[in-house]
Structure formats: C-alpha cells, structure tokens
Amino acid sequence: YLGRRLTKGIKGATINAVASSMPEFLSTIFFLFYLNDANGFSGGIGITGGSAVFNILVIPISIYFVLYFTQGIKKIPIARKTFLRDGIILFVMTGFVAWVVNTEILMWWHGALLTAPYLAYLIYLFFTHKKIVGKGDDFDHTPDQGSIRFPDLLKLNLEKFVLRGKTIRVTNAWWLLTASILVMVAGTWLLVYAPDRLGEELGIPILFVSVILAAAASSIRDTMISIRDAKKGNFEDAFSNALGSNIFDISFALGFPLFLFTLLNGPINMDPNIKEASTELWISLFVITGFAVCIFSIRKNYTIIKAGILTLLYLAFILFVAIEVLNYNLY
C-alpha cells in the first residue's frame, strides 16, 4: 500500500526488495552481535550469499512454474533493460564482496565500502527514471470484517490484529509495517540461534548451515512477493525484486552490520579456513550471477528451457556446498 504510487521497476528494486530482505539484514546483525566473532560474520556471509543464489535462481524458477501450472503461460516477457541494469550492478558487487571476504582482517572501512554501492544504486535509480511517482497501481484491499479466531493466532494474521476490519490508510499501514518488523525480529533471532546450535551438533561450520537452510528460509518473502507480482502481470517488478533484494543483501545487509560491529568492537580476524570457504562461496555466486544475466539477456522471453537451466545451476550449487562441507571436515 505504501509503495502503490511508485513506478514499476522502482518499487520492485527498492521498497519490495528492502522489505523482503529485512531478515537477511537482521540475521547478519544477530550473527555478529550474538556470536561476537569472525564465526558470526561467516554466518552473515552464508545467509546473504545463499539468499543471493536462491533469489537469482529459485525465484525465477518458481515464477515460471507457478504461472505455467496456474495460468498456462509458457513464455514470460522479460524487461531486458531492467534485468541488464540490475544484473550488471549485481555482478560487479558480487565480485567486490568476493574480494572483501578474502581479507584476513576486516575493518570498519570494509563495511563502509560494502554499504556505499547500494546507496549509489538508489541514487542511480532515482536519477535515471523519468518518473518515480505515478498514478498508482491496481492495489485493492478488502478489509476482513471477521472476528479474530484461533487460526488467526496460529498464522500470526497481523492484518486482522492491526487493521481490525478497517480500510487500510497511511497511519494503520505504518502500524502494520511496525508490527511485521517486530515479528521478523523475533523470527530472525530463532533463524540465527537454530543454525548455530545445528552446526554445533553436526560439527559443521555455521557458514555452510546458513548458506542453504537459513538462506532458503529467509528468502521465502522474496519468493512470495515476486510470485504475487508475476501473477498480476507485473513481470518487471517480479524480477527486479529478486535482483534488487540481492543488491540490498550483498551491499547493505552485509556491509552496514559489519561497519557497525567493527566500529564498536574493533577489527575482525578471519579464520584462514573460514576465509577460504567464504571466498570460494562468493566466487561461485559471482559465476552463477554471470550465467544468470547471460541467460536472461538472450532473447526477450523467459521459457521452460531457461527455467530448466536455472534449476540445474541451483542443483549444482547445492552439490558444490556439500563437497565444500566434506572437504572442510576432512581437512
């Protein structure tokens, strides 16, 4: 509702991306200040890197097959200009992060350098779009007049709790947003605590647990938002949300917590093994991003062949992580 008047492309890459990527940002904060060491930062590296892979591969895969089985759509038009814009920026930033995580000692200025590209990206978006605010999209909301029931409690139906059957307005929209963020804070804390304990029990570094399990869990919001936009026919926002989320994750969600932590607690000394594993992870993401950008840049439609290639890429990534875990344990 709050972003209903933003033009297409802007909304998906900014307000949708930031909202759906809040768990990655909160997770990195909690990983750093909860574990309070280099291992904590490796958890942040894992969840942001894994989420980036999930967003650029699994979200487009989900969009295609949901539209194929629910609406019979076999070819999805792609705004290649938007995809190339966000894809190239993401590609460059991924390589930049791969260089940063290969550093033995992380300083506050590393965090500042990671944060700066997202701020520059926002400035670029607002200066290159001729129109930022439009007349409004087809946002439509029918208040649920029913009383709060037990299933609403189980599902955390915040809309019923906050709006209470009233039409959504600016004031109660902000209250709803605030309540949602508070729920995210609680859920994200569990998302950090659980992988940490699971890693201890299995003897697996938190980097590897986070890159698959925590990353997939934190990316559900991105997936649902993109699918919703795609089902409405708003394909540009559906794909730009996935890419914009990655740019936010890689730059701000990873960089700002690092900047804040090192500013308050001093430099982080990276364990050599964790540093090597983190670098390999981000190099693989760098390669995957390059492949994905090339795939979407070829021709103007997103087809089942492209969806199949993305599926194989994600399976290859999971296999790569499994091999990394085995090599780490053998070492």
Side-chain angles (χ1 to χ4, degrees):
Y1 173 80
L2 294 172
R4 68 196 183 285
R5 295 185 62 195
L6 292 178
T7 55
K8 294 181 180 180
I10 289 288
K11 180 183 177 183
T14 54
I15 189 168
N16 284 1
V18 173
S20 59
S21 293
M22 190 59 65
E24 285 86 354
F25 171 70
L26 293 172
S27 294
T28 306
I29 288 282
F30 286 140
F31 271 126
L32 276 170
F33 287 91
Y34 165 57
L35 297 179
N36 203 38
D37 57 10
N39 195 37
F41 184 63
S42 73
I45 292 173
I47 197 168
T48 52
S51 294
V53 173
F54 192 97
N55 288 347
I56 203 168
L57 295 181
V58 178
I59 289 180
I61 294 169
S62 303
I63 288 173
Y64 183 84
F65 287 109
V66 166
L67 293 183
Y68 180 82
F69 287 111
T70 61
Q71 300 180 15
I73 297 176
K74 297 182 179 180
K75 293 182 179 180
I76 301 174
I78 299 174
R80 288 192 293 176
K81 183 178 179 181
T82 299
F83 202 97
L84 280 173
R85 177 200 71 195
D86 292 352
I88 291 173
I89 294 173
L90 179 61
F91 182 70
V92 172
M93 287 175 57
T94 304
F96 180 59
V97 175
W99 170 76
V100 171
V101 298
N102 195 36
T103 306
E104 294 182 0
I105 301 177
L106 293 170
M107 310 287 288
W108 65 267
W109 55 268
H110 286 107
L113 282 176
L114 285 177
T115 306
Y118 183 72
L119 301 179
Y121 169 70
L122 289 181
I123 295 172
Y124 168 80
L125 280 182
F126 282 91
F127 274 98
T128 54
H129 270 65
K130 295 180 180 179
K131 199 173 185 180
I132 305 300
V133 178
K135 296 180 180 179
D137 61 14
D138 56 349
F139 178 87
D140 183 32
H141 173 257
T142 302
D144 190 342
Q145 303 293 339
S147 59
I148 298 175
R149 299 181 179 181
F150 184 67
D152 297 318
L153 296 174
L154 292 179
K155 295 186 293 183
L156 285 177
N157 191 338
L158 298 180
E159 181 182 343
K160 270 194 174 183
F161 297 152
V162 177
L163 299 185
R164 295 183 177 275
K166 298 179 182 178
T167 301
I168 190 166
R169 294 285 185 265
V170 172
T171 302
N172 58 15
W174 280 108
W175 280 114
L176 181 59
L177 180 62
T178 302
S180 301
I181 291 175
L182 291 176
V183 171
M184 283 187 189
V185 169
T188 303
W189 167 254
L190 295 175
L191 193 61
V192 169
Y193 178 75
D196 179 43
R197 292 305 306 246
L198 183 62
E200 287 183 4
E201 293 294 328
L202 298 178
I204 300 174
I206 197 170
L207 169 69
F208 298 119
V209 180
S210 299
V211 77
I212 297 296
L213 299 181
S218 67
S219 295
I220 292 175
R221 281 148 299 278
D222 304 86
T223 308
M224 299 308 296
I225 287 176
S226 290
I227 289 175
R228 182 201 63 191
D229 284 337
K231 291 178 74 173
K232 290 164 55 178
N234 189 359
F235 303 121
E236 186 171 355
D237 270 344
F239 289 107
S240 65
N241 170 49
L243 294 174
S245 295
N246 277 7
I247 295 171
F248 180 84
D249 290 348
I250 292 173
S251 179
F252 193 86
L254 187 62
F256 186 73
L258 175 63
F259 169 76
L260 190 62
F261 181 85
T262 50
L263 200 63
L264 296 174
N265 298 285
I268 296 176
N269 294 306
M270 294 291 288
D271 177 87
N273 294 331
I274 293 295
K275 179 177 74 71
E276 181 181 354
S278 299
T279 303
E280 291 176 355
L281 166 67
W282 280 88
I283 289 176
S284 69
L285 176 58
F286 180 74
V287 174
I288 288 172
T289 302
F291 267 110
V293 172
C294 291
I295 289 170
F296 280 101
S297 299
I298 299 173
R299 298 184 179 179
K300 62 180 181 179
N301 289 321
Y302 176 39
T303 62
I304 192 170
I305 295 177
K306 293 182 178 181
I309 293 173
L310 295 183
T311 302
L312 292 176
L313 277 176
Y314 189 66
L315 293 176
F317 175 73
I318 293 177
L319 179 62
F320 164 76
V321 173
I323 293 173
E324 285 290 299
V325 172
L326 291 175
N327 290 338
Y328 187 92
N329 289 338
L330 288 175
Y331 182 82

